[in-house]
Amino acid sequence: MELLITALIVGLVIYGLERNKPHQVTRPHLYGSTDIQDRDQERTSTDLLGRA
């Protein structure tokens, strides 16, 4: 009886872990466009040039 309960618990744990595993996405995630200017980089480089 203990073996049956242990096997059931192990099976449920394995099922839960497999169910929560992230699946491979077939299409890439595109979060907006990439042709925008990075104002933080411009501001940082301007600040560094001002200190020099």
Side-chain angles (χ1 to χ4, degrees), residues 38-50:
D38 187 6
R39 292 185 294 179
D40 291 330
Q41 184 180 10
E42 291 177 16
R43 188 178 308 123
T44 304
S45 62
T46 305
D47 288 345
L48 290 175
L49 287 174

Side-chain angles (χ1 to χ4, degrees), residues 29-38:
H29 292 282
L30 300 176
Y31 299 114
S33 61
T34 58
D35 60 342
I36 59 173
Q37 289 180 326
D38 187 6

Side-chain angles (χ1 to χ4, degrees), residues 7-43:
L8 182 64
I9 290 173
V10 168
L12 287 173
V13 168
I14 291 173
Y15 171 74
L17 290 174
E18 285 295 320
R19 188 168 183 255
N20 288 327
K21 185 174 28 173
H23 299 285
Q24 185 177 7
V25 179
T26 57
R27 63 187 193 291
H29 292 282
L30 300 176
Y31 299 114
S33 61
T34 58
D35 60 342
I36 59 173
Q37 289 180 326
D38 187 6
R39 292 185 294 179
D40 291 330
Q41 184 180 10
E42 291 177 16
R43 188 178 308 123

